[in-house]
Amino acid sequence: MEVFDLLLTNSFFRDGMWFERCGYHGQTCNFWRAPEALRGYTDPPGYAPPKGLPRFERLDPYSRWPFLRDVYRATLPLVYPNKDCWYVNDTSTGEFWDESLFRLLAARYGDRDMAQVVRNDLMLGPGGEKSPVGIVPEVTRSWLLPAAGFATLRTGKGASEQVAAMLTFGDASTSHDHSDGLSLGLFGKGRELAADLGYTHTYLRYSWPATTASHNTVVVDGKLQEHGRGDLVYFCPDEGPAPSVQVVEATMPRAYPSAKAYSRCVSVVAPPGATPYVVDFFRVEGGRQHDFMFHGPATHKQRLTVEGVKLVRRPGTLQGADVPYAGGRRGTGSQYTTKDWYSYITDIQHGRVAKAAMCRWEYADGSRVGLSAVFLPAQGSELFTGTAPNLRLDDGIKSNYHDAKAIDRNRMPVVCIRRTSKAGRPSLESVFVSVLEPYRGRPAIQQVERLEMGNGLVGVKVSAGGAVHYILHGSDGRGGSRGRGEAEGIRFSGQFGAVSLKEGVPELLCLVGGGELSGPGWRIEHPPNIKAKVVAITGDLTGEKDNLLV
């Protein structure tokens, strides 16, 4: 009992995630089957418990340790609708969560979310008894783990139609964390569409999958991110049945000492009568080279096609035309490290981006499921494509996490969008803008355009479903806003804004961070955010009745 008390108090984030996060959280949850074995336990007659512990009569462990529910639920934000998961940090196949454990917990807690993950059906307890959950309605839930640093935005119904976007902003300070701040994961049309590679015990462990370049984030000056947790700017989910915009923004101010701003805003847009899609704004200020990295699916082979950029083949690797592939070694990984992680990316093609680069990752299994990514970087950007080691390709047996030969053989397409500043010139300011659409058959979005609104505000104009959508970003990358901007008659001030117009009439409006969003004949306003310093807390952590911030 004392061990359980100490573990729960000292080894978990306040949102329920194990301090090593993800895969190791899953392993720890399996250990926590012990409470079920203790259920109903009674101390022997005459037994005197140690000082500080009560005598137990028909113990209910789920009431004694209510925080256990948060521990078990902490896996849910990273589980895909098809029961796979986002393989973030050191996560391997099959270790993240156990379906039988969720069946048990759905019965013990009557938890609809746990039951929904298992199946949309009548849940039974481990002894076959009916669960208080009953028939589970189909729900879509967005999640936030603010202490561990994970956010998930979901929209749509059913595993085949739900869209889920994941963002990580936690502190990569343990040996099982990766340098993956502000990395993006994406699920849609029943498939993973933007992958994280997870864990390997091969020579690649520290030299590729744990590096910043192997994740869907921005690399500054070719370096690894430094340790230091991020800050959540805002999290705005919308779980109602109506069309909606959901958005999250986080910053990683300590990721790169040379960067004054390093922030990402991810929005899931579900406009009326249109397929849901994701709009991504990644803002970086500082440094001489910004590399926006994007990796598509990993579990199956896929085809990458690029339009809008004339690509030319180049020898060598992304590290340089005269730098060979760094792979082909053997061992467990602990003895192999290299600063040349770009030398794992081979088969290089490159070209200048004029206005937009249209990239499609499509599964090669005949399903016609894919991801359409329209990248809208600032002027002066260069696009590279290549292939990188794939730890997770399923060869019909299981993912080859620990087979070095298979990892060297199996490759996955990679896109890098690079902006550089020459010596003697001011450091770089970049806003990478992307529109990401899961599709089956062919994309539904007809046209995408980047908007420069002045004062550093940017936006994107999306034409789809007979309407025009404006998705706007005014954050300064440090938690504040940049002021006012205007484009195509749309006036905007705030951190984030969105409007869907059909024949000039708003069908959908969203404004975050105070300010104004207006156009001809319509307008919404919101007062500025309240800024204050938290000097004390009360509630669960202090033993007081009310949960309050002071």
Side-chain angles (χ1 to χ4, degrees):
M1 298 298 179
E2 290 176 290
V3 171
F4 272 73
D5 290 339
L6 288 171
L7 278 173
L8 285 172
T9 302
N10 299 326
S11 298
F12 290 86
F13 290 109
R14 65 182 182 274
D15 50 30
M17 180 64 75
W18 177 251
F19 77 100
E20 293 173 304
R21 305 193 298 171
C22 304
Y24 282 80
H25 179 91
Q27 294 178 26
T28 305
C29 281
N30 286 329
F31 167 75
W32 284 87
R33 293 173 182 275
E36 182 65 17
L38 293 170
R39 185 168 176 259
Y41 170 80
T42 297
D43 282 330
Y47 174 75
K51 186 177 180 180
L53 286 178
R55 178 178 172 81
F56 295 109
E57 297 284 345
R58 295 183 296 278
L59 174 67
D60 181 357
Y62 306 105
S63 297
R64 174 175 171 78
W65 296 295
F67 184 55
L68 274 176
R69 184 177 184 179
D70 292 330
V71 169
Y72 293 127
R73 285 165 60 93
T75 59
L76 296 181
L78 306 180
V79 173
Y80 293 144
N82 66 354
K83 302 181 187 178
D84 202 352
C85 70
W86 191 25
Y87 285 78
V88 66
N89 296 322
D90 276 356
T91 300
S92 296
T93 302
E95 72 178 8
F96 191 64
W97 72 292
D98 186 315
E99 184 168 326
S100 64
L101 178 61
F102 275 84
R103 290 180 181 275
L104 168 66
L105 296 169
R108 294 291 175 253
Y109 285 118
D111 192 297
R112 292 180 178 271
D113 294 312
M114 293 178 182
Q116 172 65 18
V117 166
V118 179
R119 63 178 183 178
N120 184 25
D121 200 348
L122 180 66
M123 295 302 304
L124 300 179
E129 71 272 19
K130 286 187 178 181
S131 161
V133 176
I135 299 294
V136 183
E138 187 171 45
V139 294
T140 297
R141 179 180 290 274
S142 296
W143 294 83
L144 175 66
L145 296 177
F150 295 110
T152 300
L153 301 174
R154 290 192 176 110
T155 190
K157 294 184 177 182
S160 63
E161 296 303 324
Q162 189 175 112
V163 173
M166 288 88 160
L167 180 68
T168 176
F169 56 94
D171 184 2
S173 58
T174 77
S175 62
H176 293 296
D177 288 312
H178 293 180
S179 298
D180 64 348
L182 303 185
S183 185
L184 176 71
L186 186 62
F187 179 94
K189 302 299 181 184
R191 297 289 189 93
E192 178 183 63
L193 298 173
D196 199 305
L197 293 176
Y199 202 11
T200 179
H201 288 162
T202 69
Y203 75 92
L204 282 158
R205 179 180 176 186
Y206 295 110
S207 54
W208 180 242
T211 69
T212 308
S214 74
H215 293 87
N216 295 318
T217 188
V218 170
V219 182
V220 177
D221 294 335
K223 298 178 180 179
L224 285 177
Q225 293 174 351
E226 297 192 3
H227 295 327
R229 66 166 286 104
D231 297 321
L232 179 69
V233 181
Y234 49 82
F235 175 72
C236 302
D238 186 344
E239 297 163 9
S244 68
V245 175
Q246 304 181 68
V247 61
V248 59
E249 181 167 350
T251 71
M252 297 288 292
R254 290 165 284 277
Y256 288 103
S258 62
K260 295 185 297 182
Y262 190 82
S263 69
R264 190 168 209 165
C265 170
V266 178
S267 60
V268 175
V269 184
T275 303
Y277 60 90
V278 174
V279 176
D280 175 34
F281 299 96
F282 205 129
R283 189 179 294 270
V284 187
E285 296 180 22
R288 297 290 178 185
Q289 179 174 295
H290 298 164
D291 288 343
F292 177 92
M293 308 298 298
F294 202 93
H295 309 258
T299 55
H300 294 73
K301 291 182 179 180
Q302 73 250 216
R303 294 180 292 268
L304 172 64
T305 59
V306 179
E307 299 178 13
V309 180
K310 184 178 180 180
L311 295 175
V312 178
R313 290 195 175 276
R314 194 195 75 180
T317 62
L318 190 60
Q319 188 74 18
D322 57 347
V323 180
Y325 178 54
R329 290 175 270 182
R330 300 292 175 261
T332 60
S334 59
Q335 67 268 45
Y336 292 117
T337 58
T338 177
K339 293 184 178 180
D340 298 333
W341 31 83
Y342 281 165
S343 59
Y344 287 95
I345 302 176
T346 61
D347 306 310
I348 300 299
Q349 299 184 73
H350 69 112
R352 289 287 174 183
V353 182
K355 290 186 177 180
M358 292 154 282
C359 302
R360 291 187 189 178
W361 283 261
E362 187 164 306
Y363 277 81
D365 59 2
S367 65
R368 302 188 70 196
V369 170
L371 173 68
S372 170
V374 181
F375 298 120
L376 302 157
Q379 290 184 349
S381 299
E382 187 175 12
L383 182 140
F384 294 83
T385 67
T387 63
N390 188 353
L391 282 61
R392 294 182 48 215
L393 185 66
D394 189 336
D395 280 345
I397 304 173
K398 211 162 191 181
S399 298
N400 297 292
Y401 274 96
H402 310 308
D403 183 341
K405 290 183 179 180
I407 293 172
D408 279 325
R409 180 178 66 251
N410 296 330
R411 313 290 292 175
M412 60 187 291
V414 178
V415 166
C416 169
I417 299 177
R418 174 171 292 173
R419 301 192 71 238
T420 58
S421 175
K422 294 181 180 180
R425 293 187 178 181
S427 60
L428 272 177
E429 293 188 20
S430 300
V431 183
F432 295 96
V433 181
S434 312
V435 177
L436 311 171
E437 180 191 3
Y439 70 87
R440 183 182 293 108
R442 62 181 180 178
I445 291 177
Q446 294 142 353
Q447 189 174 0
V448 175
E449 181 182 348
R450 177 176 174 136
L451 302 175
E452 300 293 344
M453 306 187 72
N455 293 323
L457 284 75
V458 297
V460 62
K461 176 183 177 182
V462 179
S463 300
V468 179
H469 317 140
Y470 293 89
I471 315 300
L472 313 173
H473 188 248
S475 172
D476 62 5
R478 294 179 288 274
S481 57
R482 289 182 166 267
R484 295 181 178 272
E486 182 174 352
E488 298 194 357
I490 307 294
R491 294 175 296 278
F492 168 60
S493 63
Q495 292 177 310
F496 177 85
V499 57
S500 174
L501 300 175
K502 194 159 190 177
E503 298 179 353
V505 178
E507 294 184 301
L508 181 66
L509 286 165
C510 174
L511 178 61
V512 177
E516 171 196 359
L517 179 59
S518 63
W522 57 270
R523 176 187 180 94
I524 58 171
E525 291 182 295
H526 193 278
N529 290 342
I530 297 174
K531 293 185 178 181
K533 183 178 180 180
V534 177
V535 297
I537 59 173
T538 67
D540 293 341
L541 298 179
T542 61
E544 298 173 72
K545 179 180 179 181
D546 296 320
N547 291 304
L548 299 173
L549 296 177
V550 180

